[in-house]
């Protein structure tokens, strides 16, 4: 970073380059998952289903890629009471590639008969141009009132965490499913159908978010500062998962979608095609209220209240380790239906935080032996009160007959009521 100061502003510019060696092992299905219908079938060793890797499956990858970044920022003192912050950032990365060439893709996932060995997807990072803007205004020039605001456009710098799902993709690492007649602990692999795949959308977009805020601060008597503000964000092209290889529904006379019994999947060459796509969205709006007392006469406190609404279409995450409820897959969507849009699983309508620090009166001076021994004693406390999280209910059987069957966390079913 190289700052340079002119008469009325401060100009900063800089860059970065980071080389990544992403050595990943995904043993999720390496030992297989046996599912039993009930306790009796478990005791009699009659698995209902097996899903896992064959003994020849390679569940490690060694990706290499490089991240580059450049930025320019100018802090402009427009007048004695107004300061502007102007910035621009550009970051992009090269494509992650396995050094042993085991990556594969499905550019046309609903018609391809087999995956294509090569890069995982088209690089979406070359358009990551991120502007920033901020201001601070002292409208009355007395230092007691301040109006501040800002906007920024932020892009994901790289998406390597999401690559873990591609480790169990054919042809290097087929994940087989044995629907019936399996055995425990060693299933009959020769009967397994290794036609499930978890590709990344070929023309994937890079996740990005618009963030903005504005707030008014007012100095009150007794060293108290009042802040009233608004904050918002809009997430676009967020990554999410889902089985896109469904049965083809019929549209009834009343507009209802209906899956006939025994209807095949759209791409009959595969079972589950668990696509990582970039069609997720999020919306956040919040009102902020804060009272803060600066430390004086032995007392400091802060009370912050946020009234917000957080909506998304991604169930808040793209992988199990990111979710607060294990929900990572968006339910099937069709034209005219937007039932994946709802409160985010981490939404909290009300959030109130209070904290204080109080220096005990008898310990403020150290002018005697006893006082010196007690000097520095303080009483402190923190309180937090927030709304509960939303709840999503699921049905454990695929009653709709959509055949939707992606990777699901505990307690999640293939249909919603």
């Amino acid at each position: 970073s190289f700052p340079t100061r002119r008469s009325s502003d401060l100009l900063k510019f800089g860059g970065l380059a980071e080389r990544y060696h992403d050595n990943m092992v995904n043993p999720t299905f390496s030992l297989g998952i046996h599912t039993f219908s009930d306790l009796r079938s478990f005791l009699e060793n009659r698995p209902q289903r097996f899903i896992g890797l064959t003994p020849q499956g390679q569940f490690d990858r060694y990706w290499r890629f490089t991240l580059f970044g450049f930025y320019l920022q100018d802090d402009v003192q427009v007048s004695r009471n107004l300061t502007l912050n102007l910035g621009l950032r550009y970051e992009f990365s090269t494509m992650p590639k396995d050094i042993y060439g085991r990556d594969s893709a499905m550019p046309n996932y609903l018609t391809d008969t087999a995956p294509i060995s090569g890069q995982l997807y088209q690089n979406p990072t070359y358009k990551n141009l991120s502007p920033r803007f901020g201001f601070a205004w002292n409208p009355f020039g007395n230092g007691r009132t301040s109006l501040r605001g800002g906007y920024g456009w932020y892009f994901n710098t790289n998406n390597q965490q999401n690559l873990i799902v591609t480790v169990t993709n054919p042809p290097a690492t087929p994940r087989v499913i044995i629907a019936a007649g399996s055995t425990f602990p060693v299933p009959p692999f020769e009967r397994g159908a290794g036609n499930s795949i978890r590709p990344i959308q070929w023309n994937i977009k890079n996740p990005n978010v618009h963030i903005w805020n504005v707030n008014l601060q007012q100095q009150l008597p007794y060293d108290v500062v009042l802040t009233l503000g608004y904050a918002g964000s809009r997430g676009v092209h967020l990554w999410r998962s889902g089985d896109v290889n469904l049965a083809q529904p019929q549209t009834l006379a009343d507009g209802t979608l209906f899956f006939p019994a025994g209807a095949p999947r759209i791409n009959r060459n595969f079972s589950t095609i668990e696509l990582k796509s970039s069609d997720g969205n999020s919306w956040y709006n919040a009102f902020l209220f804060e009272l803060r007392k600066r430390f004086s006469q032995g007392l400091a406190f802060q009370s912050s209240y946020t009234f917000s609404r957080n909506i998304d279409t991604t169930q808040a995450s793209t992988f199990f380790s990111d979710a607060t409820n294990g929900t990572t897959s968006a339910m099937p969507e069709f034209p005219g239906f937007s039932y994946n849009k709802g409160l985010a699983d981490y939404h909290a309508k009300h959030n109130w935080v209070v904290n204080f620090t109080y220096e005990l009166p008898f310990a403020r001076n150290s002018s005697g032996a006893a006082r010196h021994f007690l000097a520095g004693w303080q009483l402190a406390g923190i309180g937090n009160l927030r709304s509960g999280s939303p709840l999503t209910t699921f049905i454990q059987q695929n009653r709709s007959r959509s055949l939707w069957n992606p990777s699901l966390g505990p307690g999640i079913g293939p249909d919603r009521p």
Side-chain angles (χ1 to χ4, degrees):
S1 178
F2 303 95
T4 175
R5 181 177 293 277
R6 294 179 289 183
S7 58
S8 60
D9 60 349
L10 178 64
L11 182 66
K12 301 177 183 178
F13 60 93
L16 64 85
E18 296 177 352
R19 179 64 175 173
Y20 284 81
H21 286 211
D22 195 352
N23 303 327
M24 187 178 293
V25 175
N26 181 10
T28 305
F29 296 98
S30 61
L31 299 180
I33 299 174
H34 297 262
T35 303
F36 297 85
S37 59
D38 50 35
L39 178 61
R40 183 182 183 88
S41 63
F42 171 72
L43 296 176
E44 295 178 353
N45 193 13
R46 292 185 290 105
Q48 182 185 39
R49 189 181 78 152
F50 170 84
I51 179 171
L53 307 184
T54 64
Q56 296 77 28
Q58 305 170 44
F59 50 90
D60 59 341
R61 296 293 186 272
Y62 302 91
W63 289 295
R64 302 292 183 263
F65 58 95
T66 306
L67 172 68
F68 299 95
F70 308 92
Y71 81 95
L72 176 68
Q73 179 174 323
D74 196 5
D75 300 330
V76 184
Q77 187 74 36
V78 178
S79 67
R80 187 172 63 90
N81 298 332
L82 178 62
T83 300
L84 298 181
N85 311 108
L86 307 173
L88 186 64
R89 190 175 187 92
Y90 178 56
E91 290 178 303
F92 67 93
S93 65
T94 61
M95 270 298 300
K97 294 184 179 180
D98 176 48
I99 60 177
Y100 296 112
R102 294 170 294 181
D103 294 329
S104 63
M106 288 184 65
N108 304 292
Y109 50 86
L110 293 182
T111 57
D112 287 344
T113 59
I116 300 173
S117 297
Q119 70 183 58
L120 294 164
Y121 51 88
Q122 290 180 320
N123 194 336
T125 66
Y126 295 133
K127 298 180 181 180
N128 294 354
L129 202 60
S130 308
R132 318 286 170 87
F133 168 76
F135 72 91
W137 181 36
N138 181 8
F140 306 114
N142 57 10
R144 301 180 61 85
T145 305
S146 177
L147 182 65
R148 304 172 187 271
Y151 163 81
W153 191 4
Y154 302 86
F155 285 83
N156 205 22
T157 54
N158 53 57
N159 303 288
Q160 77 271 23
Q161 179 191 10
N162 297 283
L163 301 182
I164 189 172
V165 299
T166 69
V167 172
T168 56
N169 281 346
T173 315
R175 182 178 57 163
V176 301
I177 297 176
I178 303 175
S182 181
T183 55
F184 176 85
V186 180
F189 288 106
E190 69 280 359
R191 295 175 51 191
N195 60 352
S196 67
I197 188 170
R198 299 195 286 181
I200 296 178
Q201 179 183 327
W202 179 249
N203 59 340
I204 196 83
K205 306 296 183 182
N206 212 32
N208 60 88
V209 60
H210 301 266
I211 299 177
W212 58 87
N213 72 83
V214 61
N215 67 75
L216 178 67
Q217 291 182 319
Q218 177 65 47
Q219 175 74 45
L220 302 177
Y222 305 104
D223 293 318
V224 175
V225 177
L226 169 67
T227 301
L228 298 175
Y230 162 75
S233 70
R234 175 72 167 90
V236 184
H237 296 309
L238 307 182
W239 285 23
R240 61 179 183 174
S241 298
D243 183 2
V244 295
N245 195 24
L246 307 175
Q248 187 68 47
Q250 296 178 358
T251 303
L252 304 183
D254 62 355
T256 302
L257 294 179
F258 175 76
F259 293 95
R265 292 181 181 268
I266 299 175
N267 188 339
R268 303 188 183 188
N269 299 290
F270 292 89
S271 56
T272 296
I273 299 179
E274 189 174 346
L275 184 71
K276 186 76 70 176
S277 60
S278 57
D279 52 356
N281 292 279
S282 69
W283 298 263
Y284 175 75
N285 292 280
F287 168 75
L288 313 172
F289 174 84
E290 180 187 78
L291 282 175
R292 181 192 298 268
K293 185 185 186 308
R294 299 168 181 168
F295 188 82
S296 63
Q297 299 180 347
L299 175 65
F301 74 83
Q302 177 187 5
S303 175
S304 300
Y305 169 71
T306 303
F307 176 74
S308 64
R309 185 172 178 84
N310 206 324
I311 300 174
D312 66 14
T313 64
T314 66
Q315 290 294 334
S317 66
T318 57
F319 198 69
F320 296 120
S321 59
D322 298 334
T324 58
N325 63 0
T327 306
T328 62
S329 295
M331 300 294 287
E333 288 185 324
F334 303 93
F337 296 86
S338 59
Y339 46 73
N340 277 317
K341 182 179 181 180
L343 295 177
D345 70 342
Y346 52 85
H347 165 75
K349 184 176 183 179
H350 303 282
N351 193 8
W352 182 32
V353 180
V354 179
N355 65 77
F356 73 91
T357 302
Y358 180 58
E359 189 178 48
L360 299 178
F362 56 80
R364 294 180 187 173
N365 300 317
S366 56
S367 57
R371 291 289 182 90
H372 182 73
F373 175 75
L374 294 172
W377 284 80
Q378 293 180 336
L379 183 65
I382 301 175
N384 187 8
L385 184 66
R386 69 185 296 272
S387 303
S389 301
L391 177 67
T392 301
T393 57
F394 294 91
I395 298 174
Q396 291 303 310
Q397 301 297 326
N398 187 219
R399 294 182 59 182
S400 68
R401 298 191 293 250
S402 67
L403 303 183
W404 186 77
N405 189 35
S407 301
L408 297 176
I412 301 174
D415 270 330
R416 290 200 302 236

